[in-house]
Amino acid sequence: MSLTPRRAWLMATPMLALLAASLLLPFGWRSLDLLRHCLGGAGCGLQDLWADRFYLDALLRTVALSAASTLIGLLLGLGVALHLVAHPRWSRLTAVLAGMGANFAGVPLALALTLLLGSQGVLTQLARGAGFLQDWDLTSDAGLLLAFTAFQVPLAVVLLMTPVRLLDPALAEAAATLGASPARFWRRVGLPMLAPSLVEAGSLLFANAAAAYATPFALAGTASPVLAVRIAAAVSGDIFSQPELATALSLVMTALLLAVILGGRWLASRWRVGA
């Protein structure tokens, strides 16, 4: 029996229905409850969100960390993908390692970084013995950026390998024949052709970093200054829970991720049509 698209959708329907129910029903219920509280004037979480700079700071730092790790991931991932075009014999091994690295996040990554670069980590102690990293703190913004970059770069390699491989090598040869330098070729031809793929990959990388919870929580606990951890802390609560505030923060994160992903798709489609 051949697997037609219709049969594939039918087979995936139970899983998709379960996924939709587990995501949309609780989110919709909490959103309606938040709206009811706001309209009734009883403990609206939106008021706490904008009145307390603590949560606004978490939003700004989440955006900054996500944007920085996305930029680093795109630069390094594009460099690796271009190198693999010139040395294709490493493509299979790199693809395997990149796939493993993209999934090496959460508690395993946090544990590995703590053992290596924590306050008592091996590399930290060696560096401090040599007079370096005296003020290094893995739970700081720099440490979180390092942790985010550790899983962003492999994911960028996975996302960019195929678009770079599809770039016609004859274009570079034709540009060289006409006297264009490699830098001029990439500035005028290569990067504009890869721009839609870079935008789409960048939007996915940003969303991947902005929604990260396990890695920053495993590194710094509830003190981690990222939005996902703040949402979880508002749900569980160190003293008492704040479900309305957690719902408000979730709505902000949803709006942020939708704006980035849909905006990236729209911009990439416009550039493809223009090309």
Side-chain angles (χ1 to χ4, degrees), residues 161-188:
M161 282 179 63
T162 299
V164 171
R165 191 181 295 119
L166 293 177
L167 193 63
D168 192 353
L171 294 174
E173 297 174 1
T177 302
L178 294 174
S181 63
R184 185 176 179 83
F185 164 76
W186 283 108
R187 186 174 66 252
R188 300 294 297 273

Side-chain angles (χ1 to χ4, degrees), residues 48-143:
D48 299 332
L49 175 61
W50 303 120
D52 195 340
R53 187 168 177 81
F54 179 74
Y55 298 104
L56 181 60
D57 179 69
L59 173 61
L60 295 177
R61 292 172 80 173
T62 299
V63 172
L65 285 170
S66 301
S69 63
T70 296
L71 181 60
I72 295 173
L74 287 177
L75 290 175
L76 296 181
L78 181 60
V80 172
L82 292 174
H83 182 76
L84 292 178
V85 172
H87 304 84
R89 67 180 182 275
W90 297 102
S91 297
R92 178 170 298 181
L93 176 61
T94 303
V96 173
L97 293 177
M100 293 174 58
N103 291 282
F104 187 69
V107 176
L109 174 60
L111 178 61
L113 290 176
T114 301
L115 293 175
L116 291 175
L117 294 168
S119 59
Q120 301 298 322
V122 176
L123 297 182
T124 303
Q125 293 299 315
L126 291 176
R128 287 176 177 171
F132 303 102
L133 298 182
Q134 299 300 324
D135 298 324
W136 168 255
D137 183 8
L138 186 59
T139 63
S140 64
D141 287 351

